[in-house]
Amino acid sequence: MTRVLVADDNPVVRAGLTALLDGRGGTEVVAEAADGREACEAALLHRPDVVLLDVRMPGVDGLAALPRLVRVAPVMMLTYSGEAETVREALRLGARGYLVHGEFTVEQLVGAVRDVGAGGVGPVGCAALPPGVMPRSISLNPNEEASRMQPDVGQSSPGRRRETPVLRKGLGVHRLSRREVEVMELIAAGMSNQQIAAACFISEKTVKNHINRIFAKLHSNSRTQAVVTWLGARGAAG
């Protein structure tokens, strides 16, 4: 079991990340924190295997807390921006990985947490995250070309992520989009529209629109019917 500390100043985001990770894929959320100070205290108290740390937080932010946290556990940063300067600074301070909100799937998040918890190492000391989660190679030299921030040739981009059996089934048999597959997985996990919106970083209205399209494609009139159909698809895909 990979024990995780989630640190983010937004309580809805914390709840969404906790719902996604807790008990899924061998991960367990053992503590939450609203800023860098709380994160350091919780890390010392709970000794997690991985810290998910938001970059921007009031008071003590993620970058300020990072040097202390990396002495306790591997840290993976979370941010709404993939700015090269911020990424370089996080890596210089010891972060093992870097996730940009909206640029990763649930499966990629869980896999990245497991990889970091297991001591996974990739280019420039980053965790070996799945294609599309973070740039394959990040320059530590601010004078190098911005093109170095792009994935290596042959690596999948966020729009061309690795297809799992469940994703192939959703795309093929039920003709769901990739985002609809992700939303359906969250519905099957028992998450509310608000939690799904937080986890996917979209509005609740957009979640409802996805759900309406999912119901039509799965020929379902309720969440229960949709889940039954979807779990059958997952079983066949596995």
Side-chain angles (χ1 to χ4, degrees), residues 184-203:
M184 189 60 236
E185 281 281 87
L186 299 178
I187 292 173
M191 292 179 65
S192 66
N193 287 4
Q194 183 182 30
Q195 290 173 320
I196 294 172
C200 297
F201 303 96
I202 56 180
S203 69

Side-chain angles (χ1 to χ4, degrees), residues 37-48:
R37 179 185 58 80
E38 289 185 9
C40 291
E41 293 175 352
L44 289 171
L45 178 63
H46 296 278
R47 297 288 172 172

Side-chain angles (χ1 to χ4, degrees), residues 87-110:
V87 174
R88 282 194 296 268
E89 182 64 7
L91 297 176
R92 186 184 69 79
L93 293 173
R96 291 282 191 89
Y98 202 97
L99 294 175
V100 179
H101 289 310
E103 295 297 325
F104 56 89
T105 66
V106 176
E107 182 182 64
Q108 288 173 328
L109 171 64
V110 175

Side-chain angles (χ1 to χ4, degrees), residues 84 88 137-139 141-150:
R88 282 194 296 268
S137 179
I138 299 175
S139 170
N141 180 353
N143 295 321
E144 291 192 21
E145 295 293 332
S147 61
R148 290 289 303 278
M149 290 295 294
Q150 300 300 320

Side-chain angles (χ1 to χ4, degrees), residues 162-175 181 237:
R162 180 181 57 192
E163 290 192 3
T164 64
V166 170
L167 178 58
R168 285 196 297 271
K169 188 77 172 181
L171 294 173
V173 175
H174 296 295
R175 299 187 181 280
V181 169

Side-chain angles (χ1 to χ4, degrees), residues 17-40:
L17 289 169
T18 298
L20 287 175
L21 291 169
D22 202 21
R24 188 186 186 102
T27 59
E28 175 189 12
V29 176
V30 295
E32 298 180 18
D35 59 29
R37 179 185 58 80
E38 289 185 9
C40 291

Side-chain angles (χ1 to χ4, degrees), residues 123 131-132 134-138 147-157 160:
M134 68 171 294
R136 178 64 178 166
S137 179
I138 299 175
S147 61
R148 290 289 303 278
M149 290 295 294
Q150 300 300 320
D152 285 345
V153 175
Q155 295 293 324
S156 298
S157 66
R160 190 160 47 88

